[in-house]
Amino acid sequence: MAPPNPARTGVWVGIGAVIMSFAAYTSAMIVRQGTTPEWHHIALPPILYWNALVLVASSVTLELARQRIGGPFDRLGRTPAVQAAKSREWQFWYRITLVLSVGFLVGQFFAWRRLASEGVYLASSPSGSFFYVLTALHALHVLGGIGALLYALRCLHADDGPRSVNVLGAVAVYWHFMAALWVYLLVILALWI
Amino acid sequence: MGKLFAAAVTVIALVSAGIFLSRVWWLPPDFTTLGKDIDGQLVETMIFTGVLFVAAQLALATFVWQSTSRTAAIRVFPGGPMPLVATASVIVGLEILSLVFVGTKVWSKIFLAPAEANALHIDVQAGQFAFYFRYPGPDGKFGVPHPDKIDEGNSNFFGLDPQNDTAARDDIVSASLVVPVDQPVLLTMHSKDVGHSLYIPQLRLQQDFVPGLVIPVHFTATGVTKTEIVCTQLCGLGHYNMKAYLEVLSRQDYDKWLAAQAGQ
Amino acid sequence: MDNVSASITELPPAAPHQHAAPDSFIRNYVFSLDHKVIGKQYLGLGLLAVCTGMFLSWIMRYHLAFPDKPVPLIGLIAPTFAAGGVITPEFYLQLMTMHGTIMVFFVLTTAPFAGFGNFVLPLQVGAEDMAFPRFNMMSFWVTFVAFAVLVAAFFVPDGPPLSGWTAYAPLSAVGKSSGPGEGLGQSLWVVSIAIFCIGQLLGSLNFIATTLDLRAKGMTLARMPYSTWAWFITSIIGLIAFSVLLPACVLLLLDRVAGTSFFIPAGLVVSDALQPHSGGSALLWQHLFWFFGHPEVYIAIVPGFGIISTILPAVCRKPHLGPRVLIACQLAIAGLSYMVWGHHMFLSGMSPMSATLFSVPTLIITIPAAIITLLWLGTIYGSKLRVNTAALFCLGFVSVFVTGGLSGFFLSQPSIDTYLHGTYFVVGHFHFVMGVAAMFGIFAGTYFWFPKMFGRMMNETLGKWHFALTFLGVYATFMPMHWLGLEGNVRRYSSFPSDYMHGSLALHRFITAAALFLGAAQLIFLVNLLWSRLRGPAAPDNPWDATSLEWSTTSPPPFDNFAGVHPVISHGPNEYGVASARGDYIMQTDPPSAAASSAVA
């Protein structure tokens, strides 16, 4: 049986909380749509779909980085030269991940700018309200995820032993969840908003 | 000390139960067709909970008394009288389930049944901090209310537009709810501003006003009486003083009252 | 304590201390990473909050008894809101709102769960600390900031909000036009509660991860003490509940400051001004709030169940009856607690079918609660009670929980709730289950774990007087409220100008006298706390001859709980009334060979 891993447990608990809160927002949106006769559907700016691809890509690159770090037993078989090469590789993919994640946030910002230019603001219509609330909160959680990625990076630079690999594993779970959450939100937005 | 506790629990349980039984503080007499069912349900629940209350408190007192006496010893092992507890659980569970079923029957009788076809329709508006009641007038039709036309200074509480809306011209607005006896009444309730609630203890009637919704509720008063309607949903600083009168009049008195209102 | 060393096996690999020993005053007492300090900080916050909340209730009760007289001294404390001690209707409602908010959030959610749970749970599972000590420290300080933000509402020009702890929209959503305090005061309230949610979520994170992952060797889930089970279940309830309250607060705040209309429908005219909002649903706030609000009351009481179930076997000197049934019932209550929220909304205009759908699980949830009560009674039956103060509060808990729970039967049936909703019957009901039963759980926990926390014993004479006066006081204060409710006396009223409520003044005066008496009795508790902390006699490691792990270490424990030793557990927590080398019980850390030879005669 795998030894207990508080970091993993912790991240799944946190994900549980985030799921519940977005469930609350989703049900609020469904109720709201039911009570108002004037629900104006918003045409989603296409950049949102590109952003989804960017976020999913960042999950892929994060996994590529993690593979190159390897586990504690992988590294036993590596010579110093191989170790150095792998180290450069994982750091490369990690940086790509960070760039993509910032790119996602920038893309979201452009989506908001686009909607604002079309007259859709937070308070202009119920659908607008929910669009901004859902996307802004997701972006906030992504920002937190970027912070977690940077924290994990710091741990890995300080000591790339099993503890840091463990931390990265937990952060990776959260990061992949962020991508999955965005895909879910995109579906909800496309269908309802 | 344990024995003192047991004695205190016994006294408290018996005195409390006694006060409930004596009905020294009790519901006012009811003036509604629903009264028998609701009060019956209440009394049945009170008997059930009363028996459980006294039994549980006395059991606690007895066990504590026994366990703190000098001859106390561990009597049942490992944990305790499981068969007894299981039996008690089953009995309590069955009682609870019976409450569920009986309660559902009473509830559906009251609330699933629609208002009668000949119900007198009165429109009720609650606002900070007063109730207003609107009758359709001789034409039998209600005018359309417009929130933007509400003008309390000129007594246009409902925002009616008599100039452009013929149905609104003869609507009667009253600060009291006046109804004839033995006549089904349908109230359509809406709120002007925040949440309010309408509570008439003698009619065993209570219903929230939810802003944005028009909520129907119906009753039939069975006796001539004058009683208060109070607000039971926190609505601001005047909540404690937000009330109106319900007057149940005989058919003739009601007709006289209505005619007098229409004349104004 | 030689039994502890007898059960050492090898240390787990690569397990350094989770955090270093504290080395400065700040690290030791302020920003401490030690769960024991954090637990005490939470309890301290709870104590501050309960004193504040009680004080507010005294002002309210005095005003209800003497509506035409100014309240003495209040004019000096609150010269703007209560000039000359006159309690205006709005100030009454503001006091009431803050009383409810402070008591529910900062007393009943912090003390039994975050307070005792933080101190005791890692000890009971054999861990050095919680899983995430830094998040734990943050959770306390976040909660403290939430309290400060809430109290700040007393100091803004218009004062605190008056919409009740339930803050129903649109009253709470349209801003200051709906009443005094509904401007900045209400916004501070919303922000405070949102911050509180975050603190609670960080706490739940720790409780769950610690319980699942940091148990010592041999501490299977089945061997966990019942209080640990209760805190674990509570943390799961809290995780889901607070995750819904936070979005509700976010949406309410946006309605208030950003012009959105989540909860505000069209066409409202507030203070002669047509509101610019449209299409929102006032019911949506109620649904979101009560989806949190009902599980919240179980968050307040389930730790109490755990505390009673831990203390009762120790003072009865016999095992708890039916421990697996006990845990199953708590799990059932936790699950069912999410299906009943609509019973707060029976009169809100929901369809009669929905009302029935909520009423049925509400009645059914009483079955596991009744079974748990019967298990306690069965544990007390045929026992040899050691009547100390902790035991008395446990016995008192059983009595008041029965009382409060039974009054719920009336309210859970919509046809009866039609009459009793919004009356003092409801006030009596929830004060018995929350203000009394949950408080008794806190008192029991205090008298039981004080020796472990501070290394000193509390004074038993003072404790027994505290219990006696409190027990009489709570029945005298809250039982008459049911009678007021039967008469139709409406709650949340600052006074009773209606004809039919005039006669209730006598009963209100009796309640006020009882409440002030009850409040005065708590001084005995405060004196006892202070005196014992400073001058109490030294406490042994295990003053109660109890079985769980916290009693196998010193009083107070060292910073890493077990002095570098990793305990190995060979027994469950229920080994009372069994002949052993210790006498009539076996501790969880005793070697396996100390098996029960026979029941103690």
Side-chain angles (χ1 to χ4, degrees):
Chain A
M1 235 190 75
N5 191 342
R8 266 326 156 96
T9 309
V11 88
W12 279 110
V13 168
I15 288 175
V18 175
I19 289 178
M20 271 318 296
S21 67
F22 276 92
Y25 288 115
T26 310
S27 66
M29 185 182 76
I30 295 175
V31 168
R32 185 72 168 70
Q33 202 193 8
T35 60
T36 180
E38 1 90 26
W39 186 269
H40 303 289
H41 286 278
I42 299 176
L44 294 181
I47 196 173
L48 290 178
Y49 299 97
W50 289 112
N51 291 342
L53 285 174
V54 165
L55 197 58
V56 171
S58 75
S59 273
V60 171
T61 55
L62 183 61
E63 281 307 303
L64 289 172
R66 283 181 71 204
Q67 277 172 12
R68 278 143 186 78
I69 297 176
F73 298 107
D74 280 353
R75 282 185 262 171
L76 290 179
R78 294 179 186 167
T79 64
V82 171
Q83 185 71 359
K86 289 284 179 197
S87 181
R88 280 194 300 279
E89 280 179 37
W90 78 252
Q91 287 185 49
F92 168 74
W93 286 113
Y94 209 93
R95 288 197 200 106
I96 299 283
T97 304
L98 287 170
V99 166
L100 288 173
S101 60
V102 172
F104 172 81
L105 289 180
V106 169
Q108 294 293 82
F109 175 71
F110 278 121
W112 294 328
R113 277 262 298 264
R114 166 74 177 270
L115 276 181
S117 73
E118 289 170 8
V120 180
Y121 297 96
L122 177 61
S124 57
S125 69
S127 41
S129 302
F130 275 104
F131 178 86
Y132 281 104
V133 167
L134 288 170
T135 52
L137 282 168
H138 176 263
L140 204 67
H141 285 85
V142 165
L143 197 60
I146 295 177
L149 282 171
L150 290 171
Y151 170 74
L153 187 62
R154 214 183 59 155
C155 288
L156 285 163
H157 278 311
D159 143 48
D160 62 348
R163 192 187 157 259
S164 307
V165 170
N166 200 20
V167 166
L168 179 59
V171 171
V173 171
Y174 180 80
W175 191 253
H176 300 325
F177 169 67
M178 281 296 113
L181 182 61
W182 179 244
V183 171
Y184 161 78
L185 286 177
L186 206 50
V187 169
I188 296 283
L189 292 173
L191 287 180
W192 259 281
I193 302 260
Chain B
M1 186 74 193
K3 294 212 165 74
L4 268 177
F5 171 77
V9 167
T10 308
V11 169
I12 290 173
L14 294 175
V15 168
S16 307
I19 296 182
F20 277 102
L21 274 172
S22 73
R23 301 198 182 184
V24 57
W25 292 291
W26 194 249
L27 292 74
D30 76 89
F31 282 83
T32 171
T33 47
L34 308 168
K36 202 157 125 311
D37 290 315
I38 293 180
D39 288 11
Q41 182 78 355
L42 183 92
V43 168
E44 206 180 291
T45 305
M46 192 154 287
I47 294 173
F48 167 55
T49 52
V51 165
L52 277 185
F53 173 70
V54 173
Q57 305 286 0
L58 289 185
L60 176 67
T62 310
F63 298 166
V64 170
W65 185 283
Q66 289 173 339
S67 305
T68 49
S69 75
R70 239 168 302 201
T71 53
I74 311 287
R75 247 177 287 156
V76 192
F77 189 84
M82 201 42 142
L84 205 59
V85 168
T87 313
S89 303
V90 169
I91 295 177
V92 171
L94 285 174
E95 290 269 16
I96 291 172
L97 288 174
S98 78
L99 265 184
V100 171
F101 290 118
V102 176
T104 315
K105 251 181 32 185
V106 177
W107 174 251
S108 46
K109 204 164 150 198
I110 298 168
F111 290 97
L112 283 178
E116 332 228 342
N118 65 334
L120 167 62
H121 185 176
I122 301 173
D123 190 38
V124 186
Q125 176 173 281
Q128 287 177 329
F129 297 102
F131 296 102
Y132 290 105
F133 306 93
R134 184 163 66 118
Y135 296 74
D139 68 348
K141 287 205 280 253
F142 285 108
V144 177
H146 303 276
D148 49 313
K149 292 192 158 54
I150 291 179
D151 182 2
E152 307 221 330
N154 287 324
S155 296
N156 190 359
F157 302 109
F158 285 80
L160 299 175
D161 187 11
Q163 288 197 319
N164 302 321
D165 183 358
T166 42
R169 288 186 193 153
D170 64 349
D171 281 5
I172 297 164
V173 175
S174 163
S176 294
L177 177 59
V178 181
V179 299
V181 70
D182 293 324
Q183 162 72 45
V185 175
L186 168 69
L187 302 177
T188 44
M189 300 166 47
H190 64 274
S191 168
K192 186 185 96 174
D193 40 39
V194 299
H196 298 275
S197 190
L198 175 151
Y199 181 45
I200 314 175
Q202 281 191 357
L203 293 186
R204 309 291 190 261
L205 187 67
Q206 191 174 175
Q207 177 60 51
D208 286 356
F209 292 81
V210 177
L213 299 181
V214 178
I215 299 177
V217 80
H218 57 91
F219 67 90
T220 305
T222 54
V224 172
T225 181
K226 179 171 172 173
T227 185
E228 279 164 310
I229 305 169
V230 293
C231 181
T232 49
Q233 173 75 280
L234 178 51
C235 56
L237 64 89
H239 173 58
Y240 76 106
N241 207 18
M242 181 167 165
K243 50 188 172 17
Y245 279 106
L246 163 70
E247 293 186 52
V248 185
L249 304 176
S250 67
R251 174 57 69 174
Q252 299 118 302
D253 288 338
Y254 171 75
D255 290 336
K256 271 194 251 162
W257 175 86
L258 197 60
Q261 298 293 311
Q264 285 164 10
Chain C
M1 294 303 103
D2 30 312
N3 279 322
V4 171
S5 48
S7 42
I8 293 177
T9 56
E10 77 287 359
L11 287 142
H17 289 307
Q18 280 179 276
H19 53 83
D23 54 359
S24 68
F25 179 82
I26 298 273
R27 243 323 171 224
N28 221 341
Y29 295 112
V30 182
F31 294 113
S32 173
L33 300 173
D34 183 350
H35 71 98
K36 300 186 288 298
V37 174
I38 294 171
K40 287 190 236 177
Q41 288 175 321
Y42 267 113
L43 289 172
L45 178 62
L47 188 61
L48 176 64
V50 79
C51 290
T52 311
M54 265 203 102
F55 174 66
L56 298 176
S57 74
W58 296 339
I59 308 174
M60 290 160 60
R61 277 304 335 162
Y62 191 96
H63 175 73
L64 285 171
F66 306 107
D68 304 317
K69 291 212 200 109
V71 181
L73 299 177
I74 298 306
L76 299 168
I77 304 175
T80 26
F81 303 128
V86 173
I87 307 296
T88 55
E90 56 269 30
F91 190 54
Y92 179 87
L93 292 176
Q94 290 169 308
L95 293 172
M96 177 203 83
T97 301
M98 295 299 270
H99 166 81
T101 308
I102 289 175
M103 292 302 212
V104 172
F105 289 103
F106 295 97
V107 179
L108 296 178
T109 315
T110 50
F113 173 58
F116 289 113
N118 258 309
F119 188 94
V120 180
L121 186 139
L123 285 164
Q124 282 191 343
V125 300
E128 255 182 45
D129 203 317
M130 285 283 193
F132 310 111
R134 266 176 299 211
F135 279 166
N136 212 16
M137 176 195 73
M138 272 164 45
S139 81
F140 170 72
W141 284 107
V142 166
T143 307
F144 185 82
V145 166
F147 185 68
V149 170
L150 182 70
V151 171
F154 273 117
F155 298 98
V156 299
D158 257 3
L162 48 56
S163 52
W165 86 283
T166 47
Y168 273 18
L171 181 64
S172 63
V174 293
K176 61 180 178 191
S177 53
S178 64
E182 286 306 305
L184 184 55
Q186 183 75 72
S187 295
L188 285 172
W189 184 97
V190 177
V191 169
S192 161
I193 300 307
I195 297 174
F196 184 85
C197 291
I198 297 175
Q200 287 301 299
L201 290 172
L202 287 171
S204 284
L205 195 75
N206 258 311
F207 276 70
I208 296 173
T210 306
T211 310
L212 289 178
D213 294 329
L214 293 193
R215 281 170 283 128
K217 186 163 163 29
M219 177 63 78
T220 59
L221 286 174
R223 283 187 182 153
M224 289 197 319
Y226 311 128
S227 42
T228 299
W229 267 108
W231 287 314
F232 177 55
I233 293 173
T234 304
S235 62
I236 298 176
I237 302 177
L239 185 75
I240 302 176
F242 284 104
S243 299
V244 172
L245 182 61
L246 184 53
C249 288
V250 167
L251 297 180
L252 182 60
L253 196 60
L254 288 175
D255 268 8
R256 294 179 54 77
V257 306
T260 53
S261 304
F262 295 108
F263 305 123
I264 310 174
L268 298 187
V269 178
V270 183
S271 289
D272 298 325
L274 186 62
Q275 296 295 305
H277 301 269
S278 79
S281 166
L283 278 183
L284 177 61
W285 169 261
Q286 292 187 34
H287 280 296
L288 288 172
F289 182 82
W290 287 117
F291 186 83
F292 146 78
H294 195 80
E296 161 70 1
V297 311
Y298 292 104
I299 294 171
I301 200 71
V302 168
F305 289 169
I307 294 175
I308 303 313
S309 288
T310 297
I311 300 179
L312 264 187
V315 298
C316 290
R317 307 314 299 168
K318 67 192 264 273
H320 198 295
L321 180 59
R324 275 178 300 186
V325 176
L326 171 74
I327 303 301
C329 285
Q330 285 184 17
L331 288 167
I333 288 175
L336 283 167
S337 73
Y338 284 98
M339 302 189 208
V340 304
W341 81 90
H343 69 228
H344 300 272
M345 298 168 60
F346 280 147
L347 304 186
S348 64
M350 58 163 57
S351 81
M353 187 82 313
S354 310
T356 312
L357 281 176
F358 283 115
S359 171
V360 170
T362 305
L363 283 163
I364 296 195
I365 208 174
T366 58
I367 298 180
I371 294 176
I372 293 180
T373 310
L374 288 168
L375 290 178
W376 290 328
L377 287 172
T379 304
I380 300 169
Y381 174 77
S383 68
K384 207 167 151 41
L385 254 180
R386 291 183 183 177
V387 182
N388 53 42
T389 312
L392 285 169
F393 273 104
C394 288
L395 301 172
F397 182 101
V398 177
S399 172
V400 298
F401 181 67
V402 164
T403 307
L406 286 175
S407 59
F409 272 91
F410 295 85
L411 303 169
S412 59
Q413 301 173 70
S415 42
I416 303 180
D417 191 55
T418 295
Y419 183 80
L420 292 173
H421 177 91
T423 66
Y424 263 84
F425 196 93
V426 180
V427 181
H429 164 70
F430 67 69
H431 275 97
F432 257 111
V433 274
M434 305 217 308
V436 183
M439 276 310 299
F440 274 36
I442 295 174
F443 285 136
T446 305
Y447 286 100
F448 192 65
W449 280 306
F450 186 96
K452 184 56 57 179
M453 291 184 185
F454 298 106
R456 294 179 184 273
M457 301 300 289
M458 286 186 83
N459 184 289
E460 267 299 307
T461 311
L462 287 178
K464 291 188 165 116
W465 273 107
H466 173 224
F467 172 76
L469 298 179
T470 302
F471 189 69
L472 295 173
V474 295
Y475 268 105
T477 307
F478 298 112
M479 183 59 92
M481 292 189 179
H482 299 92
W483 304 322
L484 284 173
L486 286 172
E487 287 197 312
N489 197 248
V490 178
R491 63 182 285 214
R492 292 178 159 176
Y493 273 19
S494 58
S495 60
F496 304 103
S498 318
D499 307 334
Y500 83 94
M501 291 192 244
H502 276 159
S504 63
L505 199 58
L507 213 43
H508 273 290
R509 289 202 169 137
F510 177 82
I511 293 174
T512 294
L516 293 174
F517 166 81
L518 179 61
Q522 304 315 303
L523 282 170
I524 305 178
F525 177 66
L526 289 176
V527 165
N528 196 353
L529 273 180
L530 201 58
W531 177 263
S532 306
R533 176 77 181 85
L534 298 172
R535 301 284 199 93
D541 292 351
N542 192 357
W544 314 119
D545 295 323
T547 58
S548 42
L549 260 70
E550 72 267 35
W551 306 108
S552 71
T553 184
T554 55
S555 298
F559 93 94
D560 66 347
N561 292 346
F562 297 101
V565 167
H566 291 258
V568 175
I569 284 74
S570 315
H571 300 275
N574 215 14
E575 304 286 342
Y576 290 98
V578 290
S580 74
R582 290 187 189 277
D584 72 341
Y585 69 109
I586 300 175
M587 291 187 73
Q588 290 196 268
T589 45
D590 283 347
S593 51
S597 45
S598 65
V600 164

